[in-house]
Amino acid sequence: YTMSVGMRQGYRQALVGIVGMQFGLALQLVVVAIGLGALLATSTLAFNVVKWFGVGYLVWLGWQQFRAEPHAMSLDGAPAANGWKTFVQGFLVNASNPKATIFFLAVVPPFIDPARPLAAQYLAVMGTLAFTDLVVMSGYALLAARVLKLLREPHHIRWMNRAFGGLFMLAGALLATFRRSS
């Protein structure tokens, strides 16, 4: 998602999506912290509802990208984009991923001491995760924004839209095959 926005709309707009993604990660961590993560890990129905929402969203996002009209890009950037929409899309990419909940359930507990105040510990974990993800996703977005300068013609943009749209739909298909471990 980050590379797609970075290529189409530049680094600044991708950064808006990256911030949305961090809020999605924060929601996932809150879900785990208050125990809903355990419900998702133990309830097949709850897990499947979240999983299929994520599958549907990724496929829908991919289809939108795949069929997007190619617009020639100028050297000074991409067509104006709606920042709120980019933020919400970034949020939904991470918030609708049940694998993140399972990941947090598996990775976070060893870093949490139940004898100490939990809120501060979860905030430290979230800060670490958000910082790391922000740095990595920014690297992807900057790389993609640089490539944007090379892909300005409508046929290049059409190819890029279809490639990234296909990748989103593939991610949805892969998520559909994900099974909860027993």
Side-chain angles (χ1 to χ4, degrees), residues 87-177:
F87 176 88
V88 170
Q89 286 177 339
F91 172 80
L92 288 173
V93 164
N94 276 352
S96 66
N97 182 357
K99 290 193 286 184
T101 304
I102 303 303
F103 174 79
F104 285 155
L105 281 170
V107 172
V108 171
F111 296 98
I112 302 298
D113 179 359
R116 298 181 59 207
L118 294 177
Q121 294 178 75
Y122 277 107
L123 283 172
V125 168
M126 185 58 228
T128 303
L129 287 169
F131 175 77
T132 303
D133 197 55
L134 186 69
V135 169
V136 170
M137 293 298 138
S138 288
Y140 288 146
L142 283 168
L143 174 66
R146 297 279 185 217
V147 172
L148 173 66
K149 292 180 180 174
L150 302 174
L151 302 173
R152 294 191 323 243
E153 299 298 322
H155 69 278
H156 292 140
I157 303 304
R158 180 177 292 113
W159 177 86
M160 180 183 65
N161 284 345
R162 290 184 177 164
F164 279 110
L167 287 173
F168 282 131
M169 290 186 279
L170 178 62
L174 290 173
L175 180 57
T177 68

